[in-house]
């Protein structure tokens, strides 16, 4: 029900005589059709997928949904009264503000009126500043309207449930001062985007931490290097996403992260300077790092179970293996995802021998054009023979290889898959209870995408092989294809 439809609709008199409670419920359903409750399903909360690296990836809102809600009050006085007194209708707002001298007061007054109608219901707010085109405005203009908008939403901080703001950096100083003095009781998800266009060097997050007992999900984007990470309540944060952070801040995040938390970092920049000191976190279980892999030179993560590495450079394998050995996570690390510019078969084997407890492996070799990563050499090493202990990652259950210029013998590949599927190893029970199975697991899933068109025929031949057909029939999830 867009604006054009609302203006042309004819309201039957019987509809106007419906009980106010029912009309109120219809309005709330109308709001849900406008997807007003989905503001936080994209943007900064997709950092784990690399979909939000800066404020540039946030599209400028058209404010169409706001106008559509306001149109409910233009149909009749009766419907306006009901709409204006339905708090759930005003519980979500995504608004873009700009410095326009003739409209500044209108923007702030409209935002204030909207939030005032929300009553006491939890609020989801997405507030962004975008410079007006050809306005000739400077940082002072941006700060004036942004601080005014921040003051308006801070008056409703006790209702915040989800908050996403992209404003000049000075606006966060009053925010943190307010958050330390007054508790924000229901805030669960917080996204702070330090607007690059108006970033200055005088206002940063500082300790002590804010008071938000329900907060468990935080995203920080383009945060200034000098900011203190201690301003966040790390003991309760389950999910942290950061983009455009300096390596020094990344190391602080990993050091302060709580047990069982999930850390996702994209676009880390700068050179780490720790004077040889290593960051030790004995509780962190999940880490995704997209960018500067030199961070691993300073980390010791002894409880790590899930690790994802994405970098546009070659992986510094020796330093990475030293990190694995230093962390002693040979049997704690269960899932490894490597997406790098290049990694050789020899280097990949070095990594795999360092984590024999691995159960899931995903390798994306983005520049594999000259040297084949997944050729016969790797396949032979992964194939179970009589001596199972000599095989790297003997517990592997899922293997995914992407963008490989694979040159391999189909029979060698089938031999590896069959040995991993048919594995049945036993050892003698020293307690005299007969024979028992060792903790070796089947390879249940194998996925390979070739990156060269010349290999499309090879992929088809693999999938039509009788040996592969047998594995699929017995339950293995198996897919070998050419990536178009």
């Amino acid at each position: 029900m867009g604006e054009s439809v609302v203006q042309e609709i004819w309201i039957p008199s019987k509809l106007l005589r419906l009980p106010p409670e029912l009309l109120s419920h219809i309005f709330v359903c109308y709001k849900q059709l406008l997807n007003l409750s989905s503001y936080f399903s994209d943007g900064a909360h997709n950092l784990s997928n690399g979909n939000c690296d800066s404020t540039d990836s946030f599209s400028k809102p058209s404010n169409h949904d706001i106008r559509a809600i306001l149109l409910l009050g233009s149909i009749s006085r009766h419907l306006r009264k009901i709409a204006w007194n339905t708090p759930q209708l005003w519980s979500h707002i995504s608004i873009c503000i700009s410095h326009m001298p003739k409209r500044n007061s209108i923007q702030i007054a409209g935002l204030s009126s909207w939030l005032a109608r929300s009553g006491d219901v939890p609020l989801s707010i997405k507030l962004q500043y975008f410079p007006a085109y050809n306005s000739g405005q400077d940082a002072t203009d941006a700060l004036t309207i942004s601080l005014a908008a921040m003051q308006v939403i801070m008056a409703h901080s006790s209702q915040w449930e989800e908050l996403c703001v992209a404003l000049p950096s000075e606006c966060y100083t009053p925010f943190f001062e307010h958050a330390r003095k007054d508790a924000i009781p229901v805030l669960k998800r917080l996204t702070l985007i330090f607007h690059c266009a108006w970033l200055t060097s005088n206002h940063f997050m500082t300790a002590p931490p804010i008071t938000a007992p329900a907060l468990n999900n935080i995203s920080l984007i383009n945060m200034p290097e000098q900011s203190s990470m201690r301003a966040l309540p790390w003991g309760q944060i389950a999910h942290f996403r950061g983009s455009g952070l300096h390596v020094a801040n990344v190391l602080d995040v990993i050091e302060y992260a709580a047990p069982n938390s999930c850390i996702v970092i994209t676009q880390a920049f700068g050179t780490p300077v720790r004077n040889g000191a290593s960051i030790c976190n004995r509780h962190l279980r999940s880490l995704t790092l997209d960018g500067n892999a030199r961070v691993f030179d300073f980390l010791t993560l002894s409880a790590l179970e899930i690790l994802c590495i994405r970098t546009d450079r070659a992986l510094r394998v020796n330093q990475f293996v030293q990190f694995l050995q230093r962390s002693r996570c040979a049997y704690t690390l269960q899932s490894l995802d490597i997406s790098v510019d290049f990694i050789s078969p020899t280097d990949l084997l070095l990594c795999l021998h360092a984590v024999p407890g691995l159960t899931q492996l995903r390798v994306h070799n983005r520049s594999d054009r000259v040297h084949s990563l997944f050729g016969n050499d790797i396949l032979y090493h992964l194939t179970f023979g009589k001596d199972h202990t000599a095989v790297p990652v003997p517990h592997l259950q899922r293997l995914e290889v992407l963008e490989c210029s694979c040159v391999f013998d189909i029979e060698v590949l089938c031999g590896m898959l069959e040995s991993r599927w048919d594995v049945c190893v036993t050892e003698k029970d020293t307690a005299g209870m007969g024979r028992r199975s060792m903790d070796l697991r089947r390879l249940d899933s194998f996925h390979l995408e070739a990156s060269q068109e010349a290999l499309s025929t090879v992929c088809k031949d693999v999938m039509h092989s009788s040996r592969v057909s047998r594995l699929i029939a017995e339950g293995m999830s198996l897919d070998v294809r050419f990536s178009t």
Side-chain angles (χ1 to χ4, degrees):
M1 190 188 296
E3 181 177 343
S4 60
V5 178
V6 174
Q7 289 177 336
E8 298 175 3
I9 195 168
W10 173 66
I11 307 296
S13 58
K14 290 184 178 180
L15 177 62
L16 296 176
R17 290 197 294 269
L18 288 175
E21 295 81 4
L22 181 56
L23 284 172
S24 179
H25 180 70
I26 292 174
F27 289 165
V28 173
C29 292
Y30 165 58
K31 183 198 75 170
Q32 294 173 346
L33 289 176
L34 295 173
N35 295 319
L36 290 181
S37 59
S38 64
Y39 296 141
F40 292 84
S41 64
D42 57 7
H45 300 291
N46 274 339
L47 281 176
S48 57
N49 296 324
N51 295 333
C52 181
D53 297 330
S54 69
T55 54
D56 294 336
S57 60
F58 281 83
S59 59
K60 181 178 179 179
S62 66
N63 295 338
H64 171 78
D65 293 336
I66 295 177
R67 293 195 298 269
I69 291 294
L70 294 176
L71 279 171
L72 292 174
S74 67
I75 298 174
S76 72
R77 293 181 180 177
H78 177 60
L79 294 183
R80 179 167 62 249
K81 182 178 179 180
I82 294 174
W84 264 229
N85 289 279
T86 303
Q88 293 81 2
L89 203 59
W90 313 93
S91 62
H92 295 75
I93 183 170
S94 177
I95 187 170
C96 172
I97 58 174
S98 297
H99 175 72
M100 295 177 286
K102 295 182 180 180
R103 297 192 61 189
N104 282 359
S105 59
I106 298 176
Q107 293 182 86
I108 299 304
L111 177 61
S112 179
S113 298
W114 183 290
L115 295 178
R117 298 185 189 119
S118 67
D120 296 325
V121 299
L123 293 173
S124 292
I125 301 173
K126 184 176 181 180
L127 175 63
Q128 300 170 255
Y129 174 82
F130 275 83
Y133 293 110
N134 300 321
S135 63
Q137 61 191 293
D138 56 21
T140 302
D141 298 329
L143 186 59
T144 300
I145 183 67
S146 298
L147 281 175
M150 178 63 81
Q151 292 297 331
V152 170
I153 67 173
M154 284 198 302
H156 299 268
S157 60
S158 61
Q159 298 169 246
W160 292 346
E161 186 175 54
E162 296 176 315
L163 179 65
C164 174
V165 287
L167 300 174
S169 60
E170 289 90 342
C171 294
Y172 297 111
T173 299
F175 166 80
F176 279 100
E177 290 176 351
H178 176 80
R180 281 190 284 269
K181 294 177 182 178
D182 300 303
I184 308 175
V186 297
L187 181 63
K188 297 179 180 178
R189 182 176 288 179
L190 174 65
T191 300
L192 300 180
I193 303 155
F194 296 79
H195 209 301
C196 293
W198 309 110
L199 196 60
T200 67
S201 58
N202 298 321
H203 297 77
F204 306 107
M205 296 160 50
T206 56
I210 62 177
T211 305
L215 184 62
N216 60 20
N217 192 314
I218 291 183
S219 298
L220 297 177
I221 303 175
N222 297 334
M223 189 183 71
E225 177 185 348
Q226 297 91 333
S227 301
S228 170
M229 305 305 294
R230 292 185 181 275
L232 303 176
W234 289 104
Q236 63 195 53
I237 297 176
H239 300 277
F240 176 88
R241 299 169 177 87
S243 180
L245 306 185
H246 191 274
V247 169
N249 290 330
V250 173
L251 292 173
D252 287 342
V253 168
I254 297 174
E255 180 178 10
Y256 302 145
N260 302 319
S261 60
C262 177
I263 305 297
V264 178
I265 303 293
T266 65
Q267 301 299 319
F269 68 93
T271 302
V273 179
R274 303 291 298 194
N275 296 322
S278 178
I279 296 299
C280 182
N281 189 319
R282 294 185 175 87
H283 307 286
L284 183 64
R285 296 186 178 181
S286 177
L287 174 63
T288 296
L289 182 63
D290 184 346
N292 198 331
R294 293 192 62 186
V295 171
F296 289 109
D297 295 352
F298 301 90
L299 294 181
T300 301
L301 308 175
S302 55
L304 198 62
E305 296 178 359
I306 301 173
L307 178 59
C308 177
I309 308 169
R310 299 186 179 119
T311 176
D312 56 2
R313 300 179 180 181
L315 184 64
R316 301 167 68 239
V317 175
N318 290 333
Q319 287 77 9
F320 179 63
V321 171
Q322 289 176 9
F323 154 73
L324 295 173
Q325 295 172 344
R326 183 170 63 250
S327 298
R328 299 182 179 179
C329 57
Y331 289 95
T332 60
L333 190 64
Q334 301 294 307
S335 176
L336 178 60
D337 184 340
I338 302 177
S339 180
V340 295
D341 183 66
F342 176 74
I343 182 171
S344 69
T346 301
D347 289 341
L348 179 61
L349 285 173
L350 283 175
C351 295
L352 297 185
H353 279 295
V355 283
L358 206 65
T359 60
Q360 298 185 45
L361 174 64
R362 180 182 183 272
V363 182
H364 185 184
N365 211 27
R366 291 181 290 197
S367 295
D368 187 1
R369 291 294 183 271
V370 180
H371 300 88
S372 175
L373 169 66
F374 209 72
N376 286 345
D377 186 46
I378 284 285
L379 293 174
Y380 282 129
H381 278 88
L382 292 178
T383 302
F384 275 131
K386 294 182 179 180
D387 184 7
H388 298 87
T389 58
V391 178
V393 287
H395 310 289
L396 197 63
Q397 294 177 284
R398 179 180 177 84
L399 176 58
E400 186 175 359
V401 184
L402 304 179
E403 296 249 8
C404 281
S405 56
C406 323
V407 180
F408 57 81
D409 190 305
I410 295 178
E411 296 303 314
V412 176
L413 173 64
C414 291
M416 186 276 291
L417 295 175
E418 288 174 340
S419 73
R420 290 274 176 169
W421 177 257
D422 298 330
V423 61
C424 182
V425 184
T426 60
E427 65 176 358
K428 190 172 183 179
D429 189 341
T430 56
M433 300 297 293
R435 301 176 70 84
R436 65 183 183 188
S437 296
M438 290 178 64
D439 187 21
L440 292 181
R441 304 175 186 177
R442 277 181 165 180
L443 181 65
D444 296 322
S445 176
F446 177 75
H447 176 79
L448 186 144
E449 287 188 3
S451 59
Q452 290 189 357
E453 188 172 0
L455 294 168
S456 59
T457 302
V458 177
C459 295
K460 292 179 182 178
D461 291 342
V462 171
M463 295 305 296
H464 288 99
S465 167
S466 59
R467 299 171 71 178
V468 167
S469 299
R470 193 265 298 184
L471 294 173
I472 295 175
E474 293 183 3
M476 177 182 280
S477 176
L478 202 157
D479 185 21
V480 178
R481 65 176 64 183
F482 164 66
S483 178
T484 57

